[in-house]
């Protein structure tokens, strides 16, 4: 016997009415990371031992900067979704709310800082 409302079951929504969207976001960012991580590793290993000017010129290429920005956004979004699930599962009460807000702000700030750094390299190289 299921306690889920038949309408919620038909729509595929959990108790928070957002389960399916969260699940899809987690999977899509995982696929993006599965495709972008090997590229990033090859790119980073190729720059080992290079001087700062060479690294800046490599990052300043439009295609590279685009892939790097996509990697950064996917990485922080995926990490934030994962941390959200961990907090929801293991922490309850007021601390849960505080941590959820702190996690969202921390990952948003990190993503913005990363994108600004990439933009600065691209537009000042």
């Amino acid at each position: 016997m299921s306690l889920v409302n038949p309408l919620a079951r038909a729509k595929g929504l959990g108790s928070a009415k957002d389960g399916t969207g969260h699940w899809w976001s987690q999977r899509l960012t995982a696929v993006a990371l599965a495709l972008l991580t090997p590229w990033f590793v090859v790119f980073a290993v190729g720059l080992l031992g290079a001087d700062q000017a060479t690294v800046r010129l490599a990052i300043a290429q439009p295609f590279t900067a685009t892939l790097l920005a996509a990697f950064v956004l996917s990485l922080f979004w995926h990490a934030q979704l994962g941390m959200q699930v961990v907090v929801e599962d293991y922490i309850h009460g007021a601390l849960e709310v505080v941590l959820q807000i702190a996690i969202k702000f921390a990952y948003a700030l990190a993503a913005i800082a990363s994108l600004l750094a990439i933009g600065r390299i691209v537009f000042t190289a």
Side-chain angles (χ1 to χ4, degrees), residues 29-40:
T29 56
V31 169
L33 287 172
L35 297 173
L36 290 169
T37 299
W39 165 83
F40 179 74

Side-chain angles (χ1 to χ4, degrees), residues 89-113:
D89 287 347
Y90 296 108
I91 299 173
H92 304 288
L95 181 59
E96 178 183 5
V97 175
V98 170
L99 282 175
Q100 290 290 13
I101 292 169
I103 287 168
K104 288 193 186 303
F105 276 116
Y107 281 105
L109 184 64
I112 290 168

Side-chain angles (χ1 to χ4, degrees), residues 14 18 30 37 39-40 42 45 48-49 57 59 63 66 69 76 78-79 86-87 91 98 104 108 114 118 121-123:
D18 190 39
T37 299
W39 165 83
F40 179 74
V42 170
V45 168
L48 283 177
L57 286 174
I59 293 173
F63 184 71
T66 302
F76 285 120
H78 186 78
V86 169
V87 170
I91 299 173
V98 170
K104 288 193 186 303
S114 299
I118 294 167
I121 290 171
V122 168
F123 295 116

Side-chain angles (χ1 to χ4, degrees), residues 36 39-40 43 59 63-73 115 118:
L36 290 169
W39 165 83
F40 179 74
F43 175 71
I59 293 173
F63 184 71
T64 303
T66 302
L67 288 179
L68 192 56
F71 176 72
V72 164
L73 288 175
L115 292 177
I118 294 167

